[in-house]
Structures are given as C-alpha cells and as structure tokens.
Amino acid sequence: MSIKRIDVGSRMSGAVVHGNTVYLAGQVGEGESVTDQCKSSLAEVDRLLAASGSSKSKILQTIIYLSDMSTFGEMNAVWEGWIDPANPPARATSEAKLAAPKYKVEFIITAALD
C-alpha cells in the first residue's frame, strides 16, 4: 500500500495518506484568543484535508488539547460552528502543556478519503 506525504518538512509532514486514511499533524493556530486560534487551525485542517482528497465530513476522530480547560466552552463554540453537523467525528478533549506558551489549542485529526 502506498504512502503519500503532503507539506513535507524536515521534521514532519502536514498530512500523511495511507490506504484510505488521512492523518494530520497536530494543528495550532494564530491569534491571541482560543477562538482565533481555533478558527485559524481549523482553516488549516480544511486546507490539508482538501489537499489529501478528503473533507471535514469524512473526519473519523479528533483529539483536542487545550492549554487551559476553562476555555472548553469557547473552543466548543467554534468547533460546533465548524464541524459537519450531519457527520460529527468521535472526539476527546484534554488539558495539556502545548509546544509553546502562545498556543492555547491543538487539533489532531484522522479522516477517511472521499
């Protein structure tokens, strides 16, 4: 089975397609607020899924890390406006120390191909 890598860098790829599954690298966004970072990172998820031949309606699982669980409601407000309501994925959310203090949220996505 072939492996296709998208946005290959020296440390990681933005997405990897193996078989009928797309694995995205963890996505963090820009901005000061959780809302801004969610919107920015989910826009990048859309771009990577499209480049992989998939879409948010094909997301199988999402793991979300928040730097502060008190922002859970703020993140959910953006998430619920973004997901395909007819095809919500399996999801887990945890609090974690992220790669840099400026990051407030990170999304890890696994999806099927269209």
Side-chain angles (χ1 to χ4, degrees):
M1 204 174 286
S2 68
I3 297 173
K4 176 182 174 185
R5 299 178 196 283
I6 297 164
D7 291 354
V8 177
S10 61
R11 180 173 291 156
M12 67 182 128
S13 297
V16 176
V17 178
H18 180 252
N20 290 324
T21 307
V22 180
Y23 304 89
L24 299 190
Q27 298 301 308
V28 294
E30 298 299 321
E32 295 298 318
S33 70
V34 168
T35 296
D36 291 342
Q37 288 190 17
C38 284
K39 288 178 179 179
S40 174
S41 48
L42 292 173
E44 184 63 5
V45 166
D46 281 331
R47 185 189 75 75
L48 286 167
L49 288 174
S52 302
S54 190
S55 67
K56 63 184 162 191
S57 68
K58 303 290 185 183
I59 296 174
L60 303 170
Q61 180 183 46
T62 301
I63 299 169
I64 303 169
Y65 294 116
L66 291 168
S67 64
D68 184 341
M69 205 60 156
S70 71
T71 62
F72 185 71
E74 185 179 352
M75 177 276 298
N76 271 330
V78 177
W79 174 260
E80 290 167 4
W82 177 80
I83 62 166
D84 177 350
N87 298 291
R91 191 189 99 170
T93 305
S94 294
E95 183 176 283
K97 186 173 183 179
L98 301 179
K102 70 178 184 176
Y103 297 127
K104 300 177 186 306
V105 62
E106 181 173 7
F107 294 88
I108 301 172
I109 306 280
T110 304
L113 287 178
D114 285 335

